[in-house]
Amino acid sequence: MTKATSSSKISLKVRQWMLFVAIASFLTEMILAQMASVLWGGVLTKYILSMGIFILALGLGSLYQPKGVAGEKLAWQQLVMSGMSIFSPWLVLWSGTHLYSWFAKFIAASAVFVVGFWSGMEFPLIASIASEEVGADFSFVFSELLRLDYLGMAISSLFFPVFLLRNIGVFQASFLAAGVNLFIAAMAFWQYMPGFRLKKSSFKFQFFLVLGFILIASGWVLNKELISLAQEWMIQ
Amino acid sequence: MIILFLISFSSFCYQALAAKMVYLYVLDDTAAFALVSSIFFIGMSRGCYRFLRVFKNSSSERQRYYLASNEVSVVLAALIMGSFFCGVPLLLKYFELHFPQVQLETLQIFVAVLAMIILNRLGTYLGLEICLSYNYQQELHASREKVESKDVGFAIAWTYLGGLIASALCAFWFYAQVNPMKFVLVPVFFNFVLAIYFVAKFFRQFSVWKKLRLILKLLFAVFIMLRFETRGEQLYQNSKFFLYNVNGVMPYSTVLDNLNFLKRRMQITSVASPYQIADWVTYLDRPKFSRLYLDGAFQFDTIDENKYHEPFWKGGLYFSGRTPQHILIMGGGDGLLAKMIFESEATSEATKGKITDKFTAQVIPEITLVELDSMVPQLANDYWKSSENNSLNKVKLELVDAFDYLRARKNQWSAIFLDFPDPRSAELSKLYSVEFYRMVKKNLSSDGFIVLDYPRKDSSKIISSTLMAAGFKNIIFYGKGNTFVYADAIDRSEMSLASLKASSPFFINSTPAFDIEAVNSIFNLRLP
């Protein structure tokens, strides 16, 4: 393994993954925070608390080390993350509107925690893929990916409240985040699982991949109906 | 890892404090948080990029020098940011006085750009510091052949933990203070300790010239820190004199003279709650004239508050044609609308005797008042008790979020008055949403009505469409200056409604047609 030099570069593909993964994760975080703030009062403290739980879970998730090839793990991680982006806002909404008091908040906080934990695995996995390309240059990998992570956060934090929330709403924004996760899952699958394609579990992956795309497309088209359903839950 | 934790902690603190201050000045927390976060993150990203381009392949001695020097730069930039945000109005006034030929809007844009540069710069220093710290950690593990994801995981975990603690501290402690920015000294202290640690650790490795530069920079940071500690609070409080100067008179040519002039004429008392900062301003040269500001936004003054609350209440009486007995007031924690209701008589001039059920002292309505912030009724008791005539003692006071309160109930109020702040944030926007109005309607009797203060002329289409989508049939926009909306779901003919409007003692504004795209939903915001 060669030590990285100034000419070492993380490939454009991996850098794009990092950027888009950061955008999607932070977007999901803000969607959940928005949902929690809608459900539990006009209180800034509660909004920040949900962010806090998410951040804590991100930290713990980044410590968890799934075994296996990083690229394959990333593909599965992104596939599951995509499902979480779609369903977690609904779980928070459902618990907030159908369950009472502390139990609803517990369920919602758990949902926020699980999503945070899962999305916390992204950075180390992508760092691991990047290190395959550039070698043992810790600070180079860390700095380059952190740069893109911050850039992704900047894009999400600007576009969600200013553009997405006003123009497409919470649910389409969650489908957008899920779409980004799913796209990266498909890319990682294509790139890192050539041998894996013939295995039995590969069909399971492809099945969920297709199902994910169908869910996202349907959800996008049926946005108005979904909003009506959410409104029914809110005022029942 | 402790270093990464502290840098991350401080960066989240700076970001959150700056966002709060921007919100207090521009009164839109969505824009404030979005702008501050994105500018800050771009700065951090730029810091990482700078590390890769400038420092990554430089000598170890140079990297260590910049690790120490950049940490002091973080301290200085944070203090500059703190001072800047505490004194923005003073700075603006200075520019106004010294550059009278430049338009105020241009000066405001200039100050906003200045704020962005400071924030971006601070973010850059922090991003660079994180990378330099991680690079230093790498030197300690130089024998490794490959990046282990657990190493990155630990680094990221500590970084996020710092963020978590910072966000909790900001939410529960810093934000509930009259001047949140004074707490910039907390993260600054940690950055300063780190700077001292780096300087002490690598001091022997630096050349004399670099040692001298570092010591001078540190001494300068100590000087600025002490200045901010003693003057920061005062700087922010002084800025408020310019913000709340109602007549705009500035007889002197310097900021300091004008400040002293205003201080002789105004007295500002500030109180904070976890939700907002209240400023009670007394104008010493105008007896009995005081104003309340919440988070910098004007709420009422003691002389003209009647001009707001009278049409609010009497419009409801006039357009409904009855005096409600079970009244719910949401958001009127100042007690002034309740006072108006208790003092009102149906035969007043504004209603011109058209109300059939006469409202007299014998028919005292039951009023429930829902207010989120316990500080507001407390302020009412402390500062404008004579003005609100102890009305808060006569109502059933519920200290709870309006949205939560209605969701948990199904009552039959005969009137609901919505006296909320303008929807200047996503949080407040939900109180103008179709979901909220549906819950309001669910809690109304079949002949009940609602009245709300609608924020801006350009929001009338959104308010009207949202009320219609919630099931309200008769919607009347009325009032000049102070504008209100009356709505009910009673079956009325077009003709009777038109005649009611024609003979109205209130100025009638047109009701915009229904537009489904303009409906404000908590899931698809149209306001602010």
Side-chain angles (χ1 to χ4, degrees):
Chain A
M1 194 68 66
T2 53
K3 184 141 173 106
T5 64
S6 58
S7 60
S8 301
K9 269 194 173 176
I10 299 170
S11 68
L12 180 66
K13 171 196 71 195
V14 174
R15 281 187 284 152
Q16 282 171 346
W17 286 2
M18 189 66 242
L19 179 69
F20 284 109
V21 156
I23 290 173
S25 286
F26 206 62
L27 201 55
T28 309
E29 176 183 347
M30 281 193 292
I31 289 165
L32 292 176
Q34 169 70 12
M35 206 58 98
S37 72
V38 157
L39 285 165
W40 291 294
V43 192
L44 187 64
T45 48
K46 284 179 184 168
Y47 183 88
I48 290 186
L49 199 63
S50 69
M51 298 278 274
I53 294 169
F54 194 93
I55 291 169
L56 174 70
L58 275 177
L60 294 175
S62 64
L63 286 176
Y64 175 71
Q65 303 300 315
K67 286 176 184 166
V69 180
E72 283 183 22
K73 292 295 156 197
L74 182 72
W76 276 106
Q77 188 273 343
Q78 285 294 296
L79 187 69
V80 176
M81 191 63 211
S82 172
M84 286 182 175
S85 299
I86 295 172
F87 295 112
S88 60
W90 285 96
L91 180 64
V92 172
L93 183 64
W94 181 84
S95 64
T97 52
H98 288 76
L99 305 174
Y100 285 102
S101 188
W102 66 270
F103 191 57
K105 287 175 186 168
F106 173 75
I107 298 272
S110 305
V112 172
F113 184 87
V114 171
V115 173
F117 185 87
W118 202 260
S119 100
M121 292 180 213
E122 288 161 354
F123 195 105
L125 283 173
I126 295 179
S128 198
I129 294 169
S131 83
E132 296 287 340
E133 294 178 354
V134 298
D137 200 343
F138 284 75
S139 59
F140 175 75
V141 170
F142 184 79
S143 307
E144 177 66 6
L145 294 184
L146 200 61
R147 178 176 82 86
L148 296 163
D149 197 28
Y150 284 137
L151 198 61
M153 284 166 137
I155 292 168
S156 284
S157 60
L158 188 65
F159 276 86
F160 178 70
V162 172
F163 178 74
L164 297 179
L165 199 54
R166 282 167 171 73
N167 290 286
I168 64 172
V170 173
F171 298 121
Q172 281 189 334
S174 77
F175 290 123
L176 192 68
V180 171
N181 290 132
L182 210 59
F183 183 71
I184 292 168
M187 294 269 289
F189 174 74
W190 185 257
Q191 184 78 28
Y192 291 102
M193 299 197 213
F196 188 59
R197 279 177 218 152
L198 300 173
K199 290 182 192 168
K200 198 179 170 185
S201 52
S202 158
F203 295 115
K204 198 161 70 182
F205 184 90
Q206 290 175 59
F207 169 75
F208 283 119
L209 200 64
V210 173
L211 184 69
F213 278 119
I214 292 170
L215 268 177
I216 289 168
S218 316
W220 191 274
V221 174
L222 298 171
N223 186 44
K224 282 203 171 100
E225 285 74 10
L226 291 175
I227 288 177
S228 299
L229 175 66
Q231 286 172 343
E232 289 306 315
W233 286 4
M234 286 297 292
I235 60 167
Q236 67 182 344
Chain B
M1 293 305 169
I2 299 288
I3 294 167
L4 283 175
F5 166 81
L6 286 177
I7 297 170
S8 168
F9 166 81
S10 52
S11 68
F12 267 78
C13 280
Y14 297 140
Q15 197 181 334
L17 289 173
K20 180 73 177 178
M21 295 305 283
V22 172
Y23 164 65
L24 290 176
Y25 290 127
V26 303
L27 299 178
D28 182 341
D29 67 355
T30 312
F33 278 91
L35 269 174
V36 168
S37 300
S38 55
I39 290 165
F40 207 79
F41 284 138
I42 288 170
M44 291 184 89
S45 180
R46 200 173 138 228
C48 295
Y49 183 77
R50 195 155 170 246
F51 167 78
L52 292 168
R53 289 288 165 270
V54 181
F55 296 103
K56 179 69 191 77
N57 295 310
S58 57
S59 69
S60 173
E61 191 250 347
R62 187 168 182 244
Q63 283 180 358
R64 286 176 181 187
Y65 171 72
Y66 276 100
L67 184 64
S69 172
N70 189 63
E71 192 66 47
V72 191
S73 301
V74 169
V75 172
L76 288 170
L79 289 168
I80 289 169
M81 180 194 78
S83 310
F84 178 84
F85 280 114
C86 284
V88 162
L90 290 173
L91 189 69
L92 204 56
K93 194 53 65 184
Y94 175 85
F95 287 139
E96 260 185 83
L97 290 169
H98 289 84
F99 303 99
Q101 68 279 19
V102 183
Q103 283 189 332
L104 183 63
E105 288 77 16
T106 314
L107 289 175
Q108 284 169 340
I109 290 169
F110 175 71
V111 170
V113 171
L114 213 56
M116 284 181 199
I117 292 170
I118 292 171
L119 271 174
N120 188 270
R121 197 73 192 165
L122 179 58
T124 306
Y125 286 136
L126 283 159
L128 179 60
E129 195 64 14
I130 287 179
C131 295
L132 285 166
S133 307
Y134 195 81
N135 189 59
Y136 171 62
Q137 191 212 352
Q138 185 197 0
E139 285 182 13
L140 303 177
H141 302 281
S143 57
R144 302 263 181 89
E145 286 193 343
K146 180 176 175 294
V147 177
E148 298 284 345
S149 41
K150 76 167 190 287
D151 296 322
V152 181
F154 268 113
I156 289 293
W158 279 94
T159 308
Y160 285 142
L161 189 65
L164 166 70
I165 291 173
S167 62
L169 268 181
C170 286
F172 294 113
W173 186 22
F174 299 171
Y175 278 8
Q177 306 294 327
V178 169
N179 178 10
M181 194 45 98
K182 74 177 177 190
F183 288 96
V184 80
L185 283 172
V186 174
V188 158
F189 172 76
F190 288 120
N191 286 131
F192 186 73
V193 169
L194 270 184
I196 296 277
Y197 169 76
F198 287 138
V199 171
K201 192 167 177 64
F202 308 128
F203 198 65
R204 286 183 189 168
Q205 302 171 18
F206 303 143
S207 63
V208 179
W209 175 235
K210 280 182 178 170
K211 280 178 186 169
L212 194 65
R213 267 169 60 181
L214 272 178
I215 288 169
L216 284 175
K217 213 170 164 182
L218 270 174
L219 286 174
F220 186 58
V222 171
F223 172 72
I224 301 278
M225 238 191 312
L226 290 174
R227 288 288 287 183
F228 188 82
E229 161 62 21
T230 50
R231 298 288 176 86
E233 183 80 30
Q234 198 186 350
L235 188 66
Y236 182 56
Q237 208 58 21
N238 286 344
S239 295
K240 289 182 178 176
F241 284 95
F242 290 100
L243 288 175
Y244 303 149
N245 176 24
V246 279
N247 53 23
V249 174
M250 292 287 158
Y252 301 103
S253 58
T254 68
V255 175
L256 196 62
D257 288 342
N258 282 313
L259 178 66
N260 289 329
F261 170 77
L262 292 176
K263 277 183 166 176
R264 288 195 295 272
R265 278 156 182 77
M266 294 160 67
Q267 191 177 339
I268 302 173
T269 311
S270 302
V271 190
S273 78
Y275 308 107
Q276 55 201 342
I277 296 162
D279 293 310
W280 180 247
V281 188
T282 309
Y283 298 85
L284 303 173
D285 53 348
R286 295 174 70 181
K288 294 183 181 174
F289 181 73
S290 300
R291 294 184 128 209
L292 176 71
Y293 292 86
L294 292 177
D295 277 348
F298 171 65
Q299 301 300 307
F300 69 84
D301 70 53
T302 44
I303 289 179
D304 286 339
E305 58 91 4
N306 269 10
K307 289 180 186 168
Y308 174 81
H309 292 103
E310 194 171 336
F312 201 159
W313 162 241
K314 290 183 176 169
L317 297 188
Y318 175 78
F319 293 115
S320 68
R322 73 184 64 82
T323 306
Q325 290 304 303
H326 303 285
I327 298 171
L328 175 65
I329 300 173
M330 309 201 88
D334 53 30
L336 296 170
L337 184 59
K339 180 205 77 169
M340 174 59 63
I341 295 173
F342 285 123
E343 286 179 357
S344 173
E345 286 187 4
T347 49
S348 67
E349 199 180 332
T351 54
K352 292 190 175 169
K354 285 176 186 294
I355 297 163
T356 49
D357 289 341
K358 300 232 168 173
F359 180 72
T360 65
Q362 283 77 36
V363 194
I364 297 170
E366 287 175 31
I367 300 179
T368 302
L369 198 153
V370 173
E371 170 64 49
L372 174 66
D373 191 352
S374 61
M375 177 185 72
V376 180
Q378 187 59 48
L379 282 172
N381 281 324
D382 292 348
Y383 293 103
W384 58 93
K385 197 167 183 174
S386 57
S387 172
E388 52 95 2
N389 203 16
N390 286 329
S391 57
L392 286 172
N393 295 331
K394 301 174 195 167
V395 303
K396 187 182 172 194
L397 184 63
E398 301 268 5
L399 293 171
V400 64
D401 179 70
F403 205 89
D404 270 4
Y405 181 82
L406 283 185
R407 236 176 75 203
R409 280 167 181 76
K410 194 173 181 189
N411 285 311
Q412 292 289 299
W413 306 102
S414 42
I416 298 179
F417 291 86
L418 308 175
D419 191 8
F420 296 128
D422 289 357
R424 53 178 187 260
S425 67
E427 286 299 323
L428 288 168
S429 182
K430 75 177 187 183
L431 301 173
Y432 293 80
S433 68
V434 64
E435 293 81 5
F436 182 72
Y437 290 151
R438 279 184 186 164
M439 288 191 286
V440 167
K441 188 169 170 286
K442 192 181 79 175
N443 281 277
L444 267 183
S445 60
S446 57
D447 60 350
F449 66 89
I450 67 167
V451 183
L452 62 124
D453 157 24
Y454 80 99
R456 300 185 307 262
K457 288 265 183 312
D458 59 358
S459 66
S460 59
K461 188 177 184 180
I462 296 171
I463 298 282
S464 155
S465 299
T466 308
L467 283 167
M468 286 180 200
F472 288 97
K473 291 176 184 166
N474 308 301
I475 297 163
I476 302 165
F477 286 76
Y478 69 94
K480 226 177 189 176
N482 292 318
T483 47
F484 304 95
V485 187
Y486 167 90
D488 67 37
I490 305 164
D491 287 323
R492 299 195 210 202
S493 67
E494 282 287 323
M495 200 182 285
S496 70
L497 198 65
S499 108
L500 194 65
K501 284 183 184 175
S503 57
S504 161
F506 303 102
F507 180 83
I508 301 290
N509 300 295
S510 61
T511 303
F514 178 70
D515 177 3
I516 195 160
E517 292 301 318
V519 174
N520 187 44
S521 162
I522 52 177
F523 303 110
N524 208 350
L525 292 182
R526 293 286 178 264
L527 286 171

